[in-house]
Amino acid sequence: GQQLNQSPQSMFIQEGEDVSMNCTSSSIFNTWLWYKQEPGEGPVLLIALYKAGELTSNGRLTAQFGITRKDSFLNISASIPSDVGIYFCASMDSNYQLIWGAGTKLIIKP
Amino acid sequence: KAGVTQTPRYLIKTRGQQVTLSCSPISGHRSVSWYQQTPGQGLQFLFEYFSETQRNKGNFPGRFSGRQFSNSRSEMNVSTLELGDSALYLCASSVGTGETQYFGPGTRLLVL
């Protein structure tokens, strides 16, 4: 079936560093979504992308919809402790069903 | 507006038992989707209901079933529980199929 390959699996970063993660697929998608999940909670939508090449920001977060429609990246600038969590990419297939990456776990080094 | 609520938040069952989980969507949302999340895994789609009808179904055995009521509240049921069913079960609501999904906090199920 369709799969999203998300990398890296985890990241250990210092507070203040910039973070970059990405998601790729062998299939073309018309929507890319980025969610964040904190412990004990459900995922929360951060950014939604609907057009190839689209670059969208939400505060310190920036995401882009790849021009080939097979990839997307999420950048976080100047990370802070509350950025810790698991970031998921997701896309919508032709049945309007969400397909998910396995997540990138962000850990801030003390 | 109140968010998506799920009950119970935590549940412990033993193998062979059955369980029913409940989800109340955001007011005005008519679509409810259910997902299973296991440690280190992304979310695995179970099914979606819209206006009391199952619209989509994932690749899960028939032990997993669901339904939606006229007020859009949804329940999912797992019969003959197995150890591998231990997971976080997430419910998401949206205005309609294909619209932005908003998640509840999940029900954490432990099967012993």
Side-chain angles (χ1 to χ4, degrees), chain B residues 70-87:
Chain B
S70 58
N71 62 357
S72 295
R73 191 177 70 83
S74 177
E75 290 181 346
M76 69 162 277
N77 185 279
V78 188
S79 62
T80 320
L81 283 166
E82 301 177 0
L83 295 179
D85 296 333
S86 294

Side-chain angles (χ1 to χ4, degrees), chain A residues 9 35 37 40-45 48 50 86 88 92 95-98 100-103, chain B residues 9 35 37 40-43 45 48 56-58 88 90 97-101 103-105:
Chain A
Q9 198 172 24
Y35 283 83
Q37 185 176 27
E41 300 295 328
V44 173
L45 182 65
Y50 300 105
I86 304 176
F88 290 98
M92 197 171 286
N95 290 323
Y96 301 109
Q97 184 178 313
L98 283 183
W100 295 78
Chain B
R9 290 293 308 272
Y35 296 86
Q37 185 179 29
Q41 299 293 315
L43 282 69
F45 173 73
E48 180 202 2
N56 274 316
K57 189 176 190 309
L88 180 67
L90 291 160
T97 297
E99 304 285 340
T100 301
Q101 294 186 10
F103 283 82

Side-chain angles (χ1 to χ4, degrees), chain B residues 5-100:
Chain B
T5 57
Q6 291 187 245
T7 55
R9 290 293 308 272
Y10 303 93
L11 206 47
I12 300 176
K13 292 283 188 179
T14 55
R15 273 183 302 173
Q17 286 187 308
Q18 71 149 17
V19 67
T20 299
L21 312 181
S22 180
C23 173
S24 292
I26 293 171
S27 177
H29 286 195
R30 295 169 64 192
S31 174
V32 173
S33 298
W34 287 91
Y35 296 86
Q36 181 194 66
Q37 185 179 29
T38 48
Q41 299 293 315
L43 282 69
Q44 302 296 316
F45 173 73
L46 282 156
F47 26 66
E48 180 202 2
Y49 286 87
F50 178 81
S51 291
E52 303 177 66
T53 302
Q54 188 179 87
R55 293 292 300 268
N56 274 316
K57 189 176 190 309
N59 294 324
F60 278 82
R63 299 185 298 107
F64 292 82
S65 63
R67 59 178 175 167
Q68 187 179 33
F69 302 94
S70 58
N71 62 357
S72 295
R73 191 177 70 83
S74 177
E75 290 181 346
M76 69 162 277
N77 185 279
V78 188
S79 62
T80 320
L81 283 166
E82 301 177 0
L83 295 179
D85 296 333
S86 294
L88 180 67
Y89 289 88
L90 291 160
C91 159
S93 79
S94 57
V95 172
T97 297
E99 304 285 340
T100 301

